[in-house]
Amino acid sequence: MRLVDHIILETPDFVIVNKPSGMLTLPDRHDNELASLIAIMKKAYGEIFTVHRLDRDTSGIILFARNEAAHKYFSQLFESRDVKKFYLGLVSGQPVPKQGNVSEGIMEHPVQKGKMVANRKGKPSSTDYEVLEEFGLYSLVRMQIHTGRTHQIRVHMKFLGHPIAVDEFYGSPEPVLLSSIKKKFKLGKHTEEERPLLSRLALHASMLIFKDPNGKEYTIEAPLPKDMSALLTQLRKHRGKQPAGGEE
């Protein structure tokens, strides 16, 4: 990846990057060959510090600190929940009510390694959600997380009964196909197989609001990646015209 294409803002204290989906934030403990964003950042900046992270398949905003003082400041800021974190995601179905909060605790899955579950005995977790648009099979939802648990949004949306689209852990791994949202879909003459509109987790860290060490407030936004944006265009175009059995 060309780092320069993904940098949103750079100051003497921090760098904000729009992470592509599929890229690890930190190196994989079991596979050092996999590319990680922190390794690319270290190559470009030398000294750089991780403050928070995103799941591998989640795209969007990540803030890195550029010196030890900034690292300490931002780590405390995230820990004390003085950073507002907003995400956009496509979920399966249509959540009711259209706006609400999920405060179910989150803990590690007792059997499946690397998977989390909603459980009252888990760590306290809080996610606000608001449905922005409905498309029958899917809904575009904005989430604000008040805690930073592993897979928090994915676990909480599953708990609601509306998992994030293309989530192999907490929902269905099936990609989103145009044939599932367009009524009279036909493959092109020379096409044997339909290409998915989206074949990765439909979750994007879209906005961060915080104050820097000097008290200056920032509202940082990262536009939706091309694949999610193209899918939304198709969903809007074919809204209400889904194939039979497509309605929930």
Side-chain angles (χ1 to χ4, degrees):
M1 93 176 214
R2 267 167 51 96
L3 187 59
V4 66
D5 298 335
H6 296 270
I7 289 173
I8 297 174
L9 180 67
E10 198 175 327
T11 78
D13 285 319
F14 61 87
V15 186
I16 291 179
V17 181
N18 187 1
K19 182 184 92 67
S21 171
M23 163 97 35
L24 291 163
T25 306
L26 304 173
D28 188 287
R29 277 178 298 199
H30 311 292
D31 188 351
N32 292 331
E33 296 299 305
L34 294 171
S36 69
L37 188 53
I38 188 70
I40 294 167
M41 295 294 290
K42 279 183 173 167
K43 214 170 179 180
Y45 290 93
E47 190 174 53
I48 202 90
F49 301 87
T50 312
V51 178
H52 64 126
R53 59 192 289 179
L54 290 177
D55 292 348
R56 179 180 182 167
D57 293 324
T58 304
S59 55
I61 296 173
I62 297 193
L63 181 148
F64 291 95
R66 294 189 66 178
N67 53 65
E68 283 187 20
H71 181 229
K72 192 179 175 188
Y73 169 80
F74 283 114
S75 295
Q76 284 173 346
L77 204 67
F78 273 83
E79 215 161 285
S80 59
R81 303 173 193 169
D82 289 317
V83 178
K84 290 181 180 170
K85 297 175 275 188
F86 294 92
Y87 290 71
L88 288 172
L90 269 172
V91 306
S92 303
Q94 299 178 43
V96 178
K98 294 188 196 301
Q99 203 166 348
N101 171 271
V102 185
S103 292
E104 200 69 13
I106 292 175
M107 63 190 281
E108 284 189 31
H109 194 286
V111 182
Q112 287 174 271
K113 201 169 160 55
K115 193 174 179 178
M116 312 300 283
V117 287
N119 190 301
R120 284 186 192 146
K121 294 176 185 170
K123 290 180 179 174
S125 312
S126 175
T127 306
D128 289 332
Y129 73 91
E130 181 187 357
V131 177
L132 302 180
E133 288 183 74
E134 292 179 330
F135 308 103
L137 279 179
Y138 302 99
S139 299
L140 178 66
V141 178
R142 182 169 67 175
M143 303 90 165
Q144 181 182 3
I145 56 171
H146 300 287
T147 47
R149 308 295 174 215
T150 302
H151 299 174
Q152 179 172 319
I153 288 175
R154 298 163 67 184
V155 172
H156 275 171
M157 294 320 285
K158 183 195 177 182
F159 178 78
L160 272 187
H162 299 279
I164 302 285
V166 202
D167 188 341
E168 59 179 351
F169 257 24
Y170 304 102
S172 165
E174 293 303 311
V176 181
L177 301 170
L178 185 56
S179 57
S180 69
I181 55 176
K182 185 180 177 184
K183 216 168 198 168
K184 292 176 179 168
F185 175 80
K186 285 192 179 81
L187 272 178
K189 272 183 186 174
H190 307 293
T191 318
E192 285 181 23
E193 204 178 345
E194 186 181 353
R195 280 183 64 188
L197 289 170
L198 192 76
S199 50
R200 57 91 171 184
L201 186 73
L203 187 60
H204 177 68
S206 59
M207 190 192 290
L208 267 192
I209 302 171
F210 61 91
K211 285 183 177 165
D212 74 2
N214 304 312
K216 181 181 175 183
E217 184 164 284
Y218 288 87
T219 298
I220 307 293
E221 289 188 71
L224 274 176
K226 283 178 187 166
D227 54 0
M228 278 182 75
S229 196
L231 172 54
L232 273 177
T233 301
Q234 292 296 336
L235 285 166
R236 286 172 185 139
K237 194 171 161 186
H238 302 290
R239 198 192 318 245
K241 305 177 200 164
Q242 283 165 8
E247 290 300 323
E248 291 289 279

